[in-house]
Amino acid sequence: MGDMTNSDFYSKNQRNEANHAGEFGCTLQELRSLMELRGTEAVVKIKETYGETEGLCRHLKTSPTEGLAGTAADLEKRKLIFGKNFIPPKKPKTFLQLVWEALQDVTLIILEIAAIISLGLSFYQPPGEGNEGCGTATGGAEDEGEAEAGWIEGAAILLSVICVVLVTAFNDWSKEKQFRGLQSRIEQEQKFTVVRGGQVIQIPVAEIVVGDIAQVKYGDLLPADGIFIQGNDLKIDESSLTGESDQVRKSVDKDPMLLSGTHVMEGSGRMLVTAVGVNSQTGIIFTLLGAGGEEEEKKDKKGVKQDDGHQLPVDSSHPSSHPPSATDGAAGANATDNANASLVNGKMQDGNMENSQNKAKQQDGAAAMEMQPLKSAEGGEGDDKDKKKSNMHKKEKSVLQGKLTKLAVQIGKAGLVMSAITVIILVLYFAIDTFVVKKKQWLPECTPVYVQYFVKFFIIGVTVLVVAVPEGLPLAVTISLAYSVKKMMKDNNLVRHLDACETMGNATAICSDKTGTLTTNRMTVVQAYVGDVHYKEIPDPDSVPAKTLELLVNAIAINSAYTTKILPPEKEGGLPRQVGNKTECGLLGFVLDLKQDYEPVRNLIPEEKLYKVYTFNSVRKSMSTVIKMPDGSFRMYSKGASEIVLKKCSRILNAAGEPRVFRPRDRDEMVKKVIEPMACDGLRTICVAFRDFNSSPEPDWDNENDILSDLTCICVVGIEDPVRPEVPEAIRKCQRAGITVRMVTGDNINTARAIAIKCGIIHPGEDFLCLEGKEFNRRIRNEKGEIEQERIDKIWPKLRVLARSSPTDKHTLVKGIIDSTQVEQRQVVAVTGDGTNDGPALKKADVGFAMGIAGTDVAKEASDIILTDDNFSSIVKAVMWGRNVYDSISKFLQFQLTVNIVAVIVAFTGACITQDSPLKAVQMLWVNLIMDTFASLALATEPPTEALLLRKPYGRNKPLISRTMMKNILGHAVYQLTLIFTLLFVGEKMFKIDSGRNAPLHSPPSEHYTIIFNTFVMMQLFNEINARKIHGERNVFDGIFRNPIFCTIVLGTFAIQIVIVQFGGKPFSCSPLQLDQWMWCVFIGLGELVWGQVIATIPTSRLKFLKEAGRLTEKEEVPEEELNEDVEEIDHAERELRRGQILWFRGLNRIQTQIEVVNTFKSGTSFQGALRRQSSVTSQTQDVTNISSPNPRREGIP
């Protein structure tokens, strides 16, 4: 199985095996083939080959109770022969690959083409220079400086492209490196409990060797393959390998095989490790994936080129029933390859999550992910690009990228039109002037000269085009995102997918877990009901009867996982550390608060002496442990959810510590008086009870219902999981920012509601829903039990708390909100999760947050952002950063487009009127490239402010350039153009200098044109300050000193400008200016700030003619209604019209269906066929309804 791919591994190990086979009683090969067997086959094989499991232990030189001796030499030898427990990660992308990926950007491609043309033309020197008779139409005063500097333009553009590409690639590369760093950190932190030399110790997963005895318990992700040697009630979720979602019960005599990458769902026990690393089941799959991955990539390359659809067929050959063959050794290597191929695809195509038939495959995909949390294909942004191609249906191109690409294309088109017009005008002017006005003949020997003129006109055209395209845009986006991601690390957000950062700014809903996210996950007992008294705080040990106290301490100490402990605090004055199950820690803490100690009890009755354990699971909701008393009788201690355990109690200990009868009537009273008040304070109630059995006849321990009845209640405790102090404030900020927070928890509804009130998720007196999972399911499903979107739509807008919910409920809710068309905007949903079972919901959400501390590997794998401190308030930070990215880019656009509009119009009119642009190519580049690049740095690194949280989310259809911004752009353009043209045509009179217009060829640079250039740059500099605000605020200097980068760049640009003007000379076509001329330039520049205030006073709502730009509609054909910026209203008539359309479609479809049914009856074919067609017609009806529904906003419909 997988021998082919592992051949290199074998060649190394074969030699070792030959030498060492004698030392251990079995070879690597034998163990590998043993691990491929399942169930009874495996048991038989172990019996035949090794005797019992003890025999296998002897062969591997280990002891089932003492474990390995743990000497360094022995461990080394084992690693040498059986391999290390480490799966080598996938090779990271090389820097060059990342560069190639960065080059694929549309804007960059336009620029590259323009640059190459411009470069090529600058070196083109046609013959026939000095032919006088060919007419000297004024080609404009191109001095030789310009001619020599012709290539500078193309080179500079290419340089800027190279800059952008390198920055982008470097970003991706450093991000990849960060992930790998984080990855290795996570791996080092992942520890597992093993027995060595009779001591139970925790070692890093990578240190586990074959022959180790490992302790497995509820919630573990098994790190290696092994054989179950002793334990109780072990149930494993093997869905990650087999795709079967049922839990598999393991026992020594029926099915002892434990596989790496699977999850322990309940119970505990010990296993003998038999295969690690690349030889474990997950390892084998990974090796195949590694080989498969390369082929996949080749396929990807082909598939993607043709069309996304072509990739799916690869997958379809493996129906979901197939994957189990992965674990069915007998089926032979072929089947396995098959299953693994489907696994590869499962991994490549996240889209599988979408449909439930693919459940098996989806879990398959997860399998591969689980082993190495973040190293998989999801690692770097690079792969993301491929992934994005192959599953457009999962996460579409991020909203921002979509809008930007569209905007860039629009601007590019406009630029092309402008440049074409320029060229046409110049050519016509030349032709008319030469051939019509001067009546010249077109002589053959003059052809080269004319061609040269045309080439020159073409170059001017290209210049206009280059000026029109915003080069700084890709850079601004990259810088902004990279800067945010770096800073978000400091705010405890580890961003795994770049676009998640900006999607978060659009979030409209957050579905959060309760335990550990909203609460501290430090359980403490705060109330208790002991001996007929309800204590509102921890009782004094003396007030509790001695008998009761002893029973209580024993019940808690023995009936809890022995791995759960309370350790002294790490730092002086800190809180004691809670290790293991948090609820049990709370109970153990209660024992310590009662001035008792649980250690002596555990030492007296070690884990081996426990007679029988019923471990906790979600069905039982309780845990019980049976011990044998010295007199041979049995005693069972139980604990669990109070409503469940109390139903099984028939007695209760009274104030004297004696049992008294406890009737159903008493129980109801207790629920009212004790349990509900506790739950309403947000406490979890746990009941502790016991029962004694006679020694003969020994009870039938498998008959659980009889055993777990007739209990005696010792006490009921209320455990508090306090709300994190910073959460209520964070939630208030979210609500103010227009984000709805919903709590989804497994806790009971009273506790959940109480915590929701404490957090401020719900406010008494509001109209909201708190539902339990069962009720939620009842309301959203129709009679057939199918989920209906309409039903979800009735619930989710008011739903605030979903209690006692299963992971599927969470996924259903998230999917329901995302797919809903109830509201104008498509909802953007963020989800937090920590458990393995949260994976599907995290993947489905627009942004998935996994908990960095409490989260399982599976959750981290499915997430987009990891909260390194598990804290809800970090999510608010993420929202702030997300909105900030969006705003930064808008700011930059506002600045950049003003520059572009002005530069294009100046170049265009200048070329047409004076046959020469007042702003020379090199000057243009200085303004266009360098200043823009710096401006993108300056504006993209604005730190976020709290003010960002005072507005509602933009939503997916909000255009990038709002009407306010459009007003600013056009307003400033008017100011700048007026001044530049004034200076161009009457500047020489104002400054009493020589005119620069129509200067003879090769004359030195004129002061006149230098002043124009300088003024232009000054205006841009001051406009950069204006661009800091995009919502029409008045104070543009607000918080300017919080951004040192901005200040440095503005001052730096100013300094360089002085150098260029005073010492630039020929290359920059500049002549040094006097101080008073400088003063005028700066003064005109300062006018920008004043003008900004003037623009701010004009109300945007008056300027109806302004269009927005850069908005996303999901169907480009949908006519874009001119919507007011604030109120998006479709007028009534429109809605009626649409409704008419819908009814019309429905009517047509009904008629169609009826005709079909009639025809079917006539032709007498099977009735089913018609029905089948009808259902397909109905689904079409729904599609039609979607297309014509009133909102052109159904983005992301899968």
Side-chain angles (χ1 to χ4, degrees):
M1 177 169 184
D3 301 11
M4 304 306 296
T5 47
N6 277 350
S7 51
D8 50 338
F9 186 86
Y10 280 124
S11 52
K12 288 205 279 278
N13 280 8
Q14 225 73 51
R15 296 192 295 277
N16 297 343
E17 276 187 30
N19 311 348
H20 299 293
E23 296 187 25
F24 294 104
C26 43
T27 61
L28 175 65
Q29 202 42 50
E30 283 171 17
L31 285 176
R32 262 180 74 144
S33 52
L34 171 66
M35 287 321 289
E36 279 162 22
L37 304 176
R38 296 285 168 273
T40 42
E41 275 183 41
V43 180
V44 173
K45 171 90 170 145
I46 294 173
K47 277 211 171 117
E48 282 173 2
T49 323
Y50 307 106
E52 287 296 320
T53 39
E54 280 76 29
L56 183 56
C57 289
R58 279 199 302 281
H59 276 280
L60 286 172
K61 305 204 170 149
T62 180
S63 134
T65 48
E66 300 288 306
L68 295 174
T71 59
D74 178 46
L75 295 179
E76 270 315 302
K77 195 158 69 187
R78 284 172 193 271
K79 281 184 188 166
L80 197 67
I81 299 175
F82 298 115
K84 294 193 172 96
N85 194 20
F86 170 70
I87 297 175
K90 201 170 153 214
K91 282 206 302 289
K93 292 220 156 157
T94 59
F95 190 67
L96 286 175
Q97 277 169 312
L98 293 171
V99 167
W100 176 243
E101 271 168 16
L103 277 169
Q104 315 286 313
D105 186 87
V106 187
T107 337
L108 290 183
I109 292 172
I110 297 179
L111 276 177
E112 285 156 25
I113 295 171
I116 289 165
I117 292 175
S118 153
L119 259 181
L121 293 179
S122 69
F123 293 122
Y124 172 65
Q125 290 289 329
E129 279 292 319
N131 205 326
E132 288 307 312
C134 296
T136 47
T138 45
E142 178 169 318
D143 51 43
E144 73 235 81
E146 271 285 90
E148 284 160 17
W151 61 274
I152 292 184
E153 182 171 322
I157 298 171
L158 282 181
L159 196 75
S160 83
V161 170
I162 290 169
C163 251
V164 172
V165 168
L166 288 179
V167 171
T168 316
F170 180 73
N171 266 328
D172 287 347
W173 180 77
S174 61
K175 212 170 86 242
E176 177 97 350
K177 213 172 85 183
Q178 249 176 4
F179 283 137
R180 291 192 179 255
L182 177 93
Q183 179 47 36
S184 57
R185 216 174 71 207
I186 290 179
E187 274 184 356
Q188 282 147 18
E189 282 168 8
Q190 220 178 344
K191 294 213 164 38
F192 209 79
T193 319
V194 296
V195 182
R196 283 193 182 166
Q199 295 292 316
V200 177
I201 57 167
Q202 286 211 325
I203 58 169
V205 169
E207 295 296 312
I208 294 176
V209 294
V210 171
D212 257 325
I213 303 293
Q215 290 198 340
V216 297
K217 59 179 187 314
Y218 165 77
D220 282 345
L221 172 67
L222 298 182
D225 291 357
I227 291 174
F228 186 46
I229 48 179
Q230 70 111 104
N232 40 45
D233 249 16
L234 193 68
K235 283 194 186 156
I236 303 271
D237 170 15
E238 291 190 348
S239 59
S240 56
L241 282 177
T242 61
E244 299 295 324
S245 52
D246 301 338
Q247 294 173 7
V248 186
R249 196 184 188 120
K250 298 288 178 185
S251 60
V252 181
D253 45 0
K254 299 240 171 45
D255 181 5
M257 299 315 226
L258 301 178
L259 306 172
S260 57
T262 57
H263 287 90
V264 183
M265 284 325 214
E266 58 179 274
S268 58
R270 291 184 170 192
M271 77 166 185
L272 164 68
V273 177
T274 54
V276 294
V278 276
N279 302 303
S280 66
Q281 292 301 305
T282 313
I284 291 168
I285 288 175
F286 258 100
T287 345
L288 285 172
L289 268 183
E294 332 280 70
E295 292 159 35
E296 248 329 282
E297 271 170 26
K298 284 176 206 149
K299 266 185 217 157
D300 259 18
K301 293 274 183 320
K302 287 182 204 141
V304 171
K305 291 286 182 303
Q306 298 154 4
D307 138 34
D308 309 332
H310 286 214
Q311 289 227 289
L312 299 174
V314 188
D315 213 19
S316 50
S317 54
H318 316 291
S320 50
S321 55
H322 224 294
S325 61
T327 51
D328 185 30
N334 211 1
T336 320
D337 283 350
N338 244 355
N340 286 320
S342 96
L343 224 171
V344 174
N345 293 324
K347 180 168 178 178
M348 295 301 169
Q349 293 157 331
D350 280 10
N352 290 349
M353 287 297 185
E354 298 310 48
N355 58 16
S356 47
Q357 299 93 308
N358 272 353
K359 187 119 179 239
K361 215 174 305 155
Q362 136 212 338
Q363 283 156 328
D364 239 334
M369 304 324 219
E370 274 162 10
M371 236 354 228
Q372 323 159 268
L374 302 165
K375 263 185 198 151
S376 59
E378 325 252 322
E381 185 64 355
D383 281 54
D384 251 38
K385 304 267 194 316
D386 297 344
K387 232 178 51 193
K388 289 259 160 42
K389 285 180 204 157
S390 59
N391 28 291
M392 284 318 241
H393 55 283
K394 198 246 158 185
K395 288 198 174 154
E396 321 85 87
K397 199 189 224 172
S398 91
V399 187
L400 186 65
Q401 279 171 336
K403 291 180 180 178
L404 281 174
T405 313
K406 200 171 155 197
L407 192 70
V409 170
Q410 283 171 349
I411 294 174
K413 281 182 190 158
L416 264 175
V417 172
M418 287 295 272
S419 58
I421 296 177
T422 315
V423 175
I424 292 168
I425 291 182
L426 285 171
V427 170
L428 282 177
Y429 186 94
F430 173 76
I432 292 171
D433 190 59
T434 313
F435 301 123
V436 181
V437 182
K438 300 196 179 152
K439 298 194 168 49
K440 292 253 168 87
Q441 293 295 304
W442 179 301
L443 303 168
E445 65 267 22
C446 291
T447 308
V449 181
Y450 295 146
V451 169
Q452 191 186 5
Y453 276 121
F454 293 142
V455 167
K456 181 167 173 280
F457 297 150
F458 186 64
I459 288 184
I460 293 179
V462 172
T463 312
V464 174
L465 173 64
V466 169
V467 171
V469 178
E471 309 70 25
L473 206 53
L475 190 65
V477 179
T478 313
I479 290 178
S480 183
L481 283 173
Y483 173 76
S484 304
V485 169
K486 239 191 188 51
K487 286 276 189 263
M488 281 169 85
M489 267 304 272
K490 291 200 176 70
D491 283 340
N492 305 310
N493 281 302
L494 178 96
V495 183
R496 294 187 56 226
H497 297 141
L498 258 190
D499 49 1
C501 164
E502 142 260 317
T503 313
M504 212 36 226
N506 284 327
T508 53
I510 297 176
C511 297
S512 171
D513 270 359
K514 176 179 76 76
T515 312
T517 314
L518 300 173
T519 59
T520 54
N521 205 6
R522 277 194 70 85
M523 307 283 186
T524 37
V525 173
V526 288
Q527 296 187 17
Y529 180 86
V530 191
D532 290 344
V533 189
H534 183 177
Y535 296 95
K536 292 285 190 187
E537 52 250 355
I538 303 283
D540 184 22
D542 305 333
S543 64
V544 181
K547 275 187 196 163
T548 312
L549 195 59
E550 188 195 354
L551 267 171
L552 181 60
V553 172
N554 278 326
I556 291 174
I558 294 168
N559 184 29
S560 59
Y562 278 31
T563 46
T564 305
K565 307 186 193 60
I566 290 191
L567 303 175
E570 284 177 339
K571 297 198 263 306
E572 278 299 304
L575 292 165
R577 279 184 300 156
Q578 298 188 339
V579 181
N581 181 315
K582 294 292 193 258
T583 313
E584 289 181 353
C585 286
L587 291 168
L588 292 174
F590 180 51
V591 170
L592 299 176
D593 289 339
L594 290 169
K595 313 278 187 290
Q596 308 293 315
D597 193 3
Y598 61 88
E599 279 297 340
V601 181
R602 284 184 173 178
N603 295 340
L604 195 66
I605 305 179
E607 209 167 353
E608 292 81 64
K609 288 205 184 148
L610 300 179
Y611 196 79
K612 170 90 181 144
V613 179
Y614 300 96
T615 50
F616 179 88
N617 69 21
S618 49
V619 182
R620 279 191 198 123
K621 292 255 192 267
S622 67
M623 170 180 178
S624 313
T625 306
V626 182
I627 54 170
K628 206 165 186 172
M629 304 298 275
D631 61 0
S633 65
F634 300 100
R635 172 170 288 173
M636 176 179 75
Y637 294 112
S638 279
K639 69 166 192 292
S642 54
E643 58 259 37
I644 292 169
V645 177
L646 278 179
K647 280 191 187 131
K648 300 177 177 163
C649 289
S650 54
R651 292 182 207 73
I652 187 166
L653 296 181
N654 63 12
E658 297 301 328
R660 66 173 169 82
V661 179
F662 184 65
R663 291 183 295 277
R665 198 176 60 236
D666 305 334
R667 186 175 68 233
D668 295 341
E669 189 185 358
M670 183 156 169
V671 167
K672 266 201 205 62
K673 296 268 173 62
V674 180
I675 290 171
E676 282 185 357
M678 281 187 184
C680 292
D681 291 344
L683 307 181
R684 294 172 71 168
T685 52
I686 303 277
C687 175
V688 184
F690 76 103
R691 177 180 175 183
D692 286 328
F693 298 94
N694 296 327
S695 51
S696 60
E698 186 173 327
D700 171 14
W701 299 114
D702 289 337
N703 185 350
E704 220 176 287
N705 290 343
D706 288 1
I707 302 284
L708 278 179
S709 62
D710 199 23
L711 306 175
T712 307
C713 169
I714 305 173
C715 73
V716 172
V717 294
I719 296 186
E720 179 184 47
D721 183 3
V723 171
R724 286 172 176 266
E726 59 287 313
V727 162
E729 172 60 16
I731 286 181
R732 221 181 56 245
K733 282 183 187 162
C734 280
Q735 288 164 342
R736 210 172 46 214
I739 301 170
T740 315
V741 183
R742 295 181 173 82
M743 183 204 293
V744 183
T745 171
D747 230 327
N748 91 30
I749 190 147
N750 290 331
T751 310
R753 189 183 288 124
I755 298 247
I757 291 174
K758 280 186 189 166
C759 294
I761 290 179
I762 53 184
H763 304 289
E766 277 183 357
D767 179 19
F768 56 78
L769 281 174
C770 292
L771 293 180
E772 286 202 335
K774 278 194 193 119
E775 173 65 8
F776 173 69
N777 272 307
R778 197 181 60 70
R779 289 199 192 184
I780 62 170
R781 291 173 192 274
N782 58 16
E783 299 70 45
K784 295 188 197 133
E786 295 157 349
I787 296 171
E788 287 190 356
Q789 185 64 43
E790 293 79 60
R791 293 177 182 235
I792 298 183
D793 286 347
K794 289 199 184 82
I795 294 178
W796 73 257
K798 288 186 182 173
L799 183 69
R800 291 294 175 274
V801 175
L802 185 57
R804 288 272 181 248
S805 69
S806 67
T808 358
D809 295 341
K810 193 173 189 174
H811 182 252
T812 310
L813 177 66
V814 172
K815 186 172 184 318
I817 298 180
I818 288 181
D819 293 351
S820 171
T821 51
Q822 279 279 293
V823 275
E824 293 281 271
Q825 296 286 4
R826 133 130 156 65
Q827 296 276 307
V828 178
V829 184
V831 170
T832 69
D834 51 5
T836 304
N837 45 20
D838 292 331
L842 286 171
K843 255 196 162 36
K844 177 69 196 152
D846 294 287
V847 183
F849 285 92
M851 301 297 147
I853 304 167
T856 57
D857 302 340
V858 186
K860 288 178 187 167
E861 196 43 65
S863 70
D864 299 300
I865 297 181
I866 295 174
L867 294 178
T868 48
D869 63 345
D870 286 15
N871 191 337
F872 187 84
S873 57
S874 303
I875 297 179
V876 182
K877 295 257 176 55
V879 172
M880 232 156 76
W881 277 108
R883 293 185 171 191
N884 192 50
V885 167
Y886 207 94
D887 280 7
S888 297
I889 287 162
S890 291
K891 287 171 191 174
F892 173 70
L893 273 173
Q894 182 172 299
F895 171 73
Q896 165 98 56
L897 292 181
T898 315
V899 180
N900 280 10
I901 289 176
V902 175
V904 166
I905 293 178
V906 169
F908 172 73
T909 44
C912 297
I913 297 169
T914 63
Q915 305 270 285
D916 177 30
S917 170
L919 295 172
K920 300 286 182 282
V922 185
Q923 297 175 351
M924 279 290 204
L925 274 172
W926 156 242
V927 174
N928 216 9
L929 285 178
I930 320 301
M931 277 184 62
D932 284 358
T933 313
F934 283 139
S936 64
L937 244 182
L939 291 167
T941 51
E942 289 269 310
T945 57
E946 290 284 329
L948 287 168
L949 294 174
L950 297 176
R951 61 173 175 74
K952 299 275 177 275
Y954 279 152
R956 304 184 140 233
N957 305 57
K958 169 88 166 53
L960 263 182
I961 299 174
S962 63
R963 305 225 330 229
T964 315
M965 285 167 61
M966 205 43 126
K967 177 184 73 175
N968 291 344
I969 292 172
L970 295 177
H972 288 295
V974 167
Y975 174 83
Q976 297 184 8
L977 285 170
T978 315
L979 280 162
I980 285 178
F981 284 131
T982 312
L983 285 176
L984 182 58
F985 294 113
V986 293
E988 69 273 24
K989 299 191 186 65
M990 289 159 52
F991 287 106
K992 305 201 174 32
I993 48 177
D994 299 334
S995 163
R997 284 188 315 267
N998 302 330
L1001 267 169
H1002 308 327
S1003 59
S1006 68
E1007 280 185 347
H1008 183 189
Y1009 273 19
T1010 308
I1011 289 178
I1012 295 179
F1013 167 58
N1014 200 17
T1015 311
F1016 182 60
V1017 172
M1018 287 304 124
M1019 291 196 287
Q1020 300 323 325
L1021 261 186
F1022 287 103
N1023 196 27
E1024 200 167 324
I1025 299 173
N1026 276 331
R1028 291 185 65 243
K1029 299 291 176 224
I1030 51 175
H1031 296 298
E1033 296 93 330
R1034 287 226 172 259
N1035 180 5
V1036 288
F1037 291 102
D1038 178 32
I1040 194 164
F1041 295 114
R1042 281 184 41 233
N1043 187 356
I1045 302 183
F1046 187 88
C1047 303
T1048 326
I1049 284 176
V1050 172
L1051 295 172
T1053 318
F1054 188 68
I1056 299 174
Q1057 177 64 16
I1058 296 178
V1059 174
I1060 288 180
V1061 170
Q1062 299 306 98
F1063 311 107
K1066 266 262 167 86
F1068 278 99
S1069 322
C1070 283
S1071 127
L1073 298 180
Q1074 311 302 318
L1075 186 63
D1076 60 328
Q1077 293 167 334
W1078 263 102
M1079 285 295 133
W1080 273 107
C1081 295
V1082 175
F1083 175 71
I1084 296 175
L1086 276 168
E1088 269 287 359
L1089 295 174
V1090 184
W1091 183 248
Q1093 294 302 317
V1094 175
I1095 294 180
T1097 22
I1098 307 170
T1100 312
S1101 48
R1102 287 287 167 79
L1103 306 171
K1104 289 278 185 255
F1105 59 88
L1106 287 180
K1107 287 261 202 328
E1108 303 146 326
R1111 71 167 10 193
L1112 268 185
T1113 49
E1114 94 256 38
K1115 304 242 183 331
E1116 299 297 354
E1117 310 86 46
V1118 177
E1120 303 200 344
E1121 290 103 16
E1122 290 312 323
L1123 298 176
N1124 192 338
E1125 193 181 358
D1126 310 320
V1127 198
E1128 304 210 351
E1129 270 292 24
I1130 298 176
D1131 69 298
H1132 208 64
E1134 170 102 321
R1135 204 164 270 168
E1136 285 304 314
L1137 218 162
R1138 290 266 170 85
R1139 191 171 296 147
Q1141 279 176 327
I1142 296 169
L1143 290 172
W1144 170 237
F1145 276 126
R1146 276 190 194 153
L1148 272 178
N1149 270 310
R1150 291 226 174 105
I1151 295 169
Q1152 239 176 327
T1153 313
Q1154 283 161 0
I1155 293 173
E1156 287 220 320
V1157 173
V1158 173
N1159 289 345
T1160 313
F1161 273 125
K1162 275 187 193 156
S1163 60
T1165 47
S1166 75
F1167 189 52
Q1168 248 105 31
L1171 282 183
R1172 212 167 294 132
R1173 257 166 304 178
Q1174 165 165 9
S1175 66
S1176 75
V1177 170
T1178 343
S1179 68
Q1180 283 165 11
T1181 326
Q1182 286 161 352
D1183 294 349
V1184 170
T1185 329
N1186 292 349
I1187 294 168
S1188 55
S1189 70
N1191 316 332
R1193 288 187 185 68
R1194 291 178 49 101
E1195 213 134 23
I1197 297 173

